[in-house]
Amino acid sequence: MTDEPEMPANRSELGRVFNEVPELYDRVRPGYPDELFADLGAITGIGKKSSVLEVGCGTGQATRSLAALGCSVTAIEPGADMAALARERMSTLRNVEVETSAFEDWDDRGRHFDAVVAASSWHWVDPSIGWRRAHEALEPGGWMALLGNVVVRRPGGPEVFAETADLHERFCPGNPGWGHPPLEDDVRTTSEGWGLVEDPGGLFGPTIVRWYPAVQGFDGEGFADLLRSTSLYRRLDRDVREPLLDAIAQRIRERMDDRASRRYLSVLRVGRRAELSSRSRPSRAAWKRQTTKAERRSTKWPPPA
């Protein structure tokens, strides 16, 4: 019940489920508070004359806020329809360029950036490729930043899953994704590292972690639309998903006075690019012997240590 789930092996295919509903995604998914971007700018120093690479921009919820810092933003998005909507939404912003590509396949054309930012998207990137590519894309002293929205609850507060658990089990019994969101205070204790993604090893320095509480309010139909925009529900067969969501909307109308909220902790995780010793890298000849052609195409010489 978070936006930072553990991903199966076919993560790149699942990450494209949002491309089925770009306008819905743009309308209902939560953004990020202005305070988060103010902190991002203060910590990293990015602003006017800085360059930012955004990985998995979606329809541009975070991109617009990055552009407002004054930096130039190269935003990449694997979903063609999502990328097209992002271009449309940001057509008046001269400091934003949207490219359609998965990060693992992206052609950097020799470009380097002051920061790499991923907003609720890094868990869709293959970590064996993504962390290394991010490190290579950064200028010395550059910053890596992960933004996310974690669904949480407070003890005793109204919570939609508590009112609809029986419906979830009726329409899709035994789904491992069903369950109550974690308690807000428990989530706040996880203020080290990069969250629920694979650790980058020595590629980046210690993280700075900041939390920002937020709440979205909906009527029953609106809350069902929010669920339609999430991977957990989009992965259901349509003939299961739509009856389930219709039943959830009806339950919210009947038992919750047609008012439902979703509580989040927005999170900023920032770490600086580590400078690696060339002595710990293999020779170019050894690197060629130890890697496949496909692996060499996905990275550059010299590889990180």
Side-chain angles (χ1 to χ4, degrees), residues 263-277:
R263 184 175 296 277
Y264 299 94
L265 281 177
S266 296
V267 59
L268 170 65
R269 299 178 186 272
V270 185
R272 200 159 204 165
R273 180 187 189 271
E275 302 308 314
L276 304 174
S277 170

Side-chain angles (χ1 to χ4, degrees), residues 29-226:
R29 290 299 286 265
Y32 305 90
D34 292 341
E35 184 184 0
L36 183 154
F37 291 96
D39 286 348
L40 176 62
I43 293 168
T44 64
I46 61 172
K48 292 183 179 179
K49 298 185 179 180
S50 299
S51 59
V52 174
L53 172 65
E54 185 187 2
V55 177
C57 71
T59 57
Q61 287 94 332
T63 318
R64 290 183 281 269
S65 296
L66 289 170
L69 294 175
C71 48
S72 63
V73 183
T74 299
I76 60 175
E77 165 55 43
D81 292 341
M82 297 278 277
L85 186 56
R87 291 188 191 95
E88 178 184 329
R89 293 283 191 266
M90 294 179 287
S91 60
T92 61
L93 300 180
R94 296 185 178 181
N95 57 333
V96 174
E97 179 183 1
V98 179
E99 301 181 15
T100 306
S101 176
F103 186 47
E104 295 90 333
D105 304 322
W106 176 64
D107 182 3
D108 61 25
R109 304 200 301 276
R111 292 170 288 179
H112 292 85
F113 302 84
D114 298 304
V116 173
V117 176
S120 297
S121 62
W122 195 249
H123 52 275
W124 299 113
V125 176
D126 182 344
S128 68
I129 299 173
W131 286 117
R132 184 176 67 243
R133 292 218 71 189
H135 186 275
E136 293 169 350
L138 285 167
E139 297 282 1
W143 293 84
M144 180 76 186
L146 301 187
L147 285 55
N149 287 308
V150 185
V151 183
V152 297
R153 61 188 169 96
R154 291 179 176 173
E159 193 266 302
V160 172
F161 185 78
E163 296 290 344
T164 62
D166 62 313
L167 301 177
H168 285 82
E169 286 301 316
R170 182 195 309 170
F171 287 94
C172 188
N175 189 319
W178 300 154
H180 298 282
L183 291 169
E184 180 176 335
D185 287 347
D186 291 342
V187 172
R188 285 182 180 273
T189 66
T190 61
S191 292
E192 295 182 3
W194 293 96
L196 300 181
V197 295
E198 195 167 307
D199 191 84
L203 296 177
F204 295 92
T207 54
I208 299 168
V209 181
R210 302 277 174 84
W211 300 101
Y212 312 84
V215 179
Q216 272 185 305
F218 302 92
D219 60 15
E221 289 299 330
F223 197 90
D225 277 346
L226 173 66

Side-chain angles (χ1 to χ4, degrees), residues 9-41:
N10 60 337
R11 69 179 71 214
S12 62
E13 295 178 13
L14 291 175
R16 292 183 174 88
V17 298
F18 308 118
N19 197 55
E20 301 168 359
V21 285
E23 294 188 1
L24 175 66
Y25 184 98
D26 187 64
R27 176 167 56 85
V28 301
R29 290 299 286 265
Y32 305 90
D34 292 341
E35 184 184 0
L36 183 154
F37 291 96
D39 286 348
L40 176 62

